[in-house]
Amino acid sequence: MKVLVVNCGSSSLKYQVIDSDTEQIEAKGLCERIGLDGRLVYQPTGGEKEITEAPMPTHSEAIQMVLDALVNPKTGVLKSLDEVEAIGHRVLHGGAKLTESALVNDDVIAAIEEASDLGPLHNPANLMGIHACMKLMPGKPNVVVMDTSFGMTLPAKAYRYAIPTEYYEKYHIRRYGFHGTSHSFVSKETIKYLNLDPDNSKVIVAHLGNGASITAVKNSKCVDTSMGVTPLEGLIMGTRSGDLDPAIIDYLCSHENLTAAQMNTILNKKSGVMALSNNLSSDFRDLEDAMNEGNEAAGLAIDAFSYRVAKYIGSYAAAMNGVDAIAFTGGIGENAGIVRKKVLEYLGFLGITLDEEANKKRGETFVVSTPDSRVKVIVLPTNEELAICRETVRLVKNA
Ligand code: AMP
């Protein structure tokens, strides 16, 4: 079955066409600057990348351009759109109602709209993508895969915040967790790769990218996760603060005369390793180069980032009363050996030893711990599009 996987942002859209039988990508690309001047990048597998600049006032025109590129007689990978049997959409927030992947219907759309309050930057864009696909490919099944679904198996002791119950009941303020598609994919693949028992295993997945989060996965179910109501909580990220004393917000708002919304922007866009490195960069390649040249702030940013990851791994090992495997994924987890080394240096007490030679590799799945390490540590590239494709096929076949 050919599946179109769509991931909409407010002014961009990433897409892939995947053949679910071979799990190979047939074409991929993105639309940028939707609502502005518009730019389509299209790359058929094995072919040249094409860039087309054309107006894309809304997501509908953007998707129309993607579909035209896919059936272009010269460079398209499809003879006709009939070949696309289903569309899988990434959705950020499912809220309290949408707890599992689902075939799109009116109730599902209403639930995504309702959760827009909790995901105001992403959910409206995700909905635009869904409406555009429904309009341009009428009759085809659309499936939504939420970033929050994997966290819905958390027990109450992990998802409840210790704030008045009325806020939980009125506003559904609870830990949801994000990057769920990635954590689900990587934990499953880790279990397969290391031959662990899906029903009797303890895995910690560290998804370290520009956004970063970590999950504890016991017997294939997520039992804890570092992000919260929004993707701001938890690890230090590229420009997000992660955990902090909530009283800082009131203190800075009153001393700096900031509104809560301005403070929110500071914590999301002006914090993280970017802030710790004195605005040098949020990219670990730049930070590592600067650290090697003696830049102390860049060194602090990498140290603080790694220390926070190690503390979370320690606490999740406690939450599960042990850990069999730790998986690193995401742009930093897959590529930055320095971060893996720094994190694992804290975890010797778990019987973990790093294979320094293996730690130089990147871009593939490999074990990075020594054969005698009590806990296996692996690097496993995430593939959220493939995970969405698999979910889409599962739901369409079971419909
Ligand atoms: P992601 O959000 O998963 O795409 O990850 C993006 C981040 O991964 C970038 O901002 C970098 O910090 C990091 N990254 C990507 N490639 C490398 C690399 N070769 N070495 C170190 N960090 C990298």
Side-chain angles (χ1 to χ4, degrees), residues 71-98:
V71 296
N72 179 310
K74 281 201 191 121
T75 51
V77 292
L78 305 175
K79 287 194 189 71
S80 95
L81 286 180
D82 293 342
E83 286 182 58
V84 174
E85 286 187 57
I87 304 120
H89 298 265
R90 181 181 187 178
V91 170
L92 180 84
H93 217 304
K97 286 207 182 126
L98 209 48

Short mmCIF file of all heavy atoms in Angstrom, two decimals, residues 71-98:
data_model
loop_
_atom_site.label_atom_id
_atom_site.label_comp_id
_atom_site.label_asym_id
_atom_site.label_seq_id
_atom_site.Cartn_x
_atom_site.Cartn_y
_atom_site.Cartn_z
N VAL A 71 2.61 13.15 -9.42
CA VAL A 71 2.09 12.53 -10.65
C VAL A 71 2.67 13.17 -11.92
O VAL A 71 2.22 12.88 -13.02
CB VAL A 71 0.54 12.56 -10.71
CG1 VAL A 71 -0.07 11.73 -9.59
CG2 VAL A 71 0.00 13.99 -10.66
N ASN A 72 3.67 14.02 -11.73
CA ASN A 72 4.32 14.63 -12.90
C ASN A 72 4.86 13.52 -13.83
O ASN A 72 5.58 12.64 -13.37
CB ASN A 72 5.48 15.51 -12.38
CG ASN A 72 6.23 16.19 -13.51
OD1 ASN A 72 6.63 15.54 -14.47
ND2 ASN A 72 6.41 17.48 -13.37
N PRO A 73 4.47 13.54 -15.14
CA PRO A 73 4.84 12.43 -16.02
C PRO A 73 6.36 12.21 -16.11
O PRO A 73 6.81 11.10 -16.35
CB PRO A 73 4.28 12.84 -17.39
CG PRO A 73 3.35 13.98 -17.13
CD PRO A 73 3.66 14.58 -15.79
N LYS A 74 7.14 13.27 -15.92
CA LYS A 74 8.61 13.10 -16.06
C LYS A 74 9.26 12.61 -14.77
O LYS A 74 10.03 11.66 -14.78
CB LYS A 74 9.23 14.45 -16.44
CG LYS A 74 9.07 14.75 -17.91
CD LYS A 74 10.09 15.79 -18.37
CE LYS A 74 9.72 16.27 -19.76
NZ LYS A 74 9.50 17.70 -19.83
N THR A 75 8.98 13.27 -13.68
CA THR A 75 9.74 12.97 -12.46
C THR A 75 8.88 12.42 -11.33
O THR A 75 9.41 12.10 -10.25
CB THR A 75 10.45 14.25 -11.94
OG1 THR A 75 9.47 15.28 -11.86
CG2 THR A 75 11.58 14.66 -12.84
N GLY A 76 7.56 12.29 -11.57
CA GLY A 76 6.67 11.79 -10.51
C GLY A 76 6.91 10.31 -10.23
O GLY A 76 7.43 9.59 -11.09
N VAL A 77 6.53 9.88 -9.03
CA VAL A 77 6.70 8.47 -8.67
C VAL A 77 5.38 7.70 -8.75
O VAL A 77 5.34 6.51 -8.52
CB VAL A 77 7.32 8.31 -7.26
CG1 VAL A 77 8.74 8.80 -7.24
CG2 VAL A 77 6.47 9.00 -6.19
N LEU A 78 4.30 8.44 -9.07
CA LEU A 78 2.99 7.79 -9.17
C LEU A 78 2.42 8.01 -10.57
O LEU A 78 2.59 9.08 -11.15
CB LEU A 78 2.01 8.41 -8.16
CG LEU A 78 2.42 8.42 -6.69
CD1 LEU A 78 1.38 9.19 -5.86
CD2 LEU A 78 2.56 7.00 -6.15
N LYS A 79 1.70 6.98 -11.09
CA LYS A 79 1.03 7.16 -12.38
C LYS A 79 -0.21 8.01 -12.18
O LYS A 79 -0.55 8.85 -13.01
CB LYS A 79 0.66 5.81 -12.97
CG LYS A 79 1.87 5.05 -13.48
CD LYS A 79 1.44 3.87 -14.36
CE LYS A 79 2.63 3.00 -14.67
NZ LYS A 79 3.09 2.26 -13.48
N SER A 80 -0.91 7.73 -11.10
CA SER A 80 -2.07 8.57 -10.76
C SER A 80 -2.24 8.57 -9.25
O SER A 80 -1.68 7.71 -8.55
CB SER A 80 -3.33 8.05 -11.46
OG SER A 80 -4.03 7.20 -10.59
N LEU A 81 -3.05 9.51 -8.78
CA LEU A 81 -3.25 9.62 -7.33
C LEU A 81 -4.01 8.43 -6.75
O LEU A 81 -4.01 8.21 -5.55
CB LEU A 81 -3.99 10.92 -6.99
CG LEU A 81 -3.14 12.18 -7.11
CD1 LEU A 81 -3.98 13.40 -6.74
CD2 LEU A 81 -1.91 12.12 -6.21
N ASP A 82 -4.65 7.64 -7.66
CA ASP A 82 -5.36 6.45 -7.18
C ASP A 82 -4.41 5.51 -6.45
O ASP A 82 -4.82 4.71 -5.62
CB ASP A 82 -5.98 5.68 -8.36
CG ASP A 82 -7.09 6.49 -8.99
OD1 ASP A 82 -7.57 7.44 -8.32
OD2 ASP A 82 -7.44 6.20 -10.15
N GLU A 83 -3.12 5.61 -6.78
CA GLU A 83 -2.15 4.72 -6.13
C GLU A 83 -1.99 5.00 -4.64
O GLU A 83 -1.59 4.12 -3.88
CB GLU A 83 -0.77 4.85 -6.81
CG GLU A 83 -0.69 4.18 -8.16
CD GLU A 83 0.71 4.30 -8.73
OE1 GLU A 83 1.67 3.86 -8.10
OE2 GLU A 83 0.84 4.90 -9.83
N VAL A 84 -2.27 6.25 -4.25
CA VAL A 84 -2.17 6.56 -2.81
C VAL A 84 -3.42 6.00 -2.13
O VAL A 84 -4.53 6.39 -2.44
CB VAL A 84 -2.12 8.10 -2.57
CG1 VAL A 84 -2.17 8.42 -1.08
CG2 VAL A 84 -0.88 8.69 -3.20
N GLU A 85 -3.22 5.04 -1.24
CA GLU A 85 -4.40 4.40 -0.63
C GLU A 85 -4.80 5.02 0.69
O GLU A 85 -5.91 4.81 1.18
CB GLU A 85 -4.15 2.91 -0.46
CG GLU A 85 -4.21 2.18 -1.79
CD GLU A 85 -4.12 0.68 -1.61
OE1 GLU A 85 -4.95 0.11 -0.89
OE2 GLU A 85 -3.20 0.11 -2.21
N ALA A 86 -3.87 5.75 1.32
CA ALA A 86 -4.22 6.37 2.61
C ALA A 86 -3.25 7.50 2.90
O ALA A 86 -2.14 7.55 2.35
CB ALA A 86 -4.15 5.33 3.72
N ILE A 87 -3.69 8.38 3.76
CA ILE A 87 -2.85 9.51 4.17
C ILE A 87 -2.69 9.46 5.70
O ILE A 87 -3.69 9.31 6.42
CB ILE A 87 -3.47 10.86 3.75
CG1 ILE A 87 -3.73 10.85 2.23
CG2 ILE A 87 -2.55 12.03 4.11
CD1 ILE A 87 -5.14 11.03 1.86
N GLY A 88 -1.47 9.56 6.15
CA GLY A 88 -1.20 9.57 7.60
C GLY A 88 -0.72 10.94 8.02
O GLY A 88 0.18 11.50 7.39
N HIS A 89 -1.35 11.51 9.04
CA HIS A 89 -1.01 12.86 9.48
C HIS A 89 -0.39 12.83 10.87
O HIS A 89 -0.93 12.18 11.77
CB HIS A 89 -2.26 13.74 9.58
CG HIS A 89 -2.96 13.91 8.28
ND1 HIS A 89 -2.74 14.99 7.46
CD2 HIS A 89 -3.88 13.14 7.65
CE1 HIS A 89 -3.52 14.88 6.38
NE2 HIS A 89 -4.21 13.76 6.47
N ARG A 90 0.68 13.58 11.03
CA ARG A 90 1.20 13.78 12.38
C ARG A 90 0.39 14.89 13.05
O ARG A 90 0.19 15.95 12.46
CB ARG A 90 2.66 14.20 12.29
CG ARG A 90 3.25 14.39 13.64
CD ARG A 90 4.68 14.82 13.53
NE ARG A 90 5.27 14.84 14.86
CZ ARG A 90 6.52 15.14 15.09
NH1 ARG A 90 7.32 15.42 14.09
NH2 ARG A 90 6.97 15.15 16.31
N VAL A 91 -0.09 14.63 14.25
CA VAL A 91 -0.82 15.65 15.02
C VAL A 91 -0.11 15.83 16.35
O VAL A 91 0.28 14.85 16.98
CB VAL A 91 -2.30 15.22 15.22
CG1 VAL A 91 -3.01 16.13 16.20
CG2 VAL A 91 -3.03 15.23 13.88
N LEU A 92 0.07 17.08 16.75
CA LEU A 92 0.85 17.31 17.97
C LEU A 92 0.09 16.84 19.21
O LEU A 92 0.58 16.00 19.95
CB LEU A 92 1.21 18.79 18.15
CG LEU A 92 2.02 19.01 19.42
CD1 LEU A 92 3.49 18.75 19.19
CD2 LEU A 92 1.81 20.38 20.01
N HIS A 93 -1.09 17.41 19.43
CA HIS A 93 -1.74 17.21 20.73
C HIS A 93 -3.10 16.54 20.58
O HIS A 93 -3.96 17.06 19.89
CB HIS A 93 -1.92 18.56 21.43
CG HIS A 93 -1.72 18.49 22.91
ND1 HIS A 93 -2.43 17.63 23.70
CD2 HIS A 93 -0.88 19.15 23.74
CE1 HIS A 93 -2.04 17.77 24.96
NE2 HIS A 93 -1.09 18.69 25.00
N GLY A 94 -3.28 15.43 21.23
CA GLY A 94 -4.57 14.76 21.20
C GLY A 94 -5.46 15.17 22.37
O GLY A 94 -6.63 14.80 22.41
N GLY A 95 -4.88 15.90 23.33
CA GLY A 95 -5.65 16.30 24.50
C GLY A 95 -6.11 15.08 25.28
O GLY A 95 -5.54 13.99 25.15
N ALA A 96 -7.15 15.28 26.09
CA ALA A 96 -7.61 14.19 26.96
C ALA A 96 -8.45 13.17 26.19
O ALA A 96 -8.58 12.02 26.58
CB ALA A 96 -8.43 14.77 28.12
N LYS A 97 -9.03 13.60 25.04
CA LYS A 97 -9.98 12.73 24.34
C LYS A 97 -9.33 11.80 23.33
O LYS A 97 -9.70 10.65 23.19
CB LYS A 97 -11.02 13.60 23.62
CG LYS A 97 -12.01 14.22 24.57
CD LYS A 97 -13.33 14.50 23.90
CE LYS A 97 -14.27 15.16 24.89
NZ LYS A 97 -14.80 16.42 24.38
N LEU A 98 -8.36 12.37 22.58
CA LEU A 98 -7.79 11.60 21.48
C LEU A 98 -6.53 10.89 21.97
O LEU A 98 -5.44 11.42 21.91
CB LEU A 98 -7.48 12.56 20.33
CG LEU A 98 -7.52 12.04 18.92
CD1 LEU A 98 -8.78 11.24 18.64
CD2 LEU A 98 -7.42 13.20 17.94
#
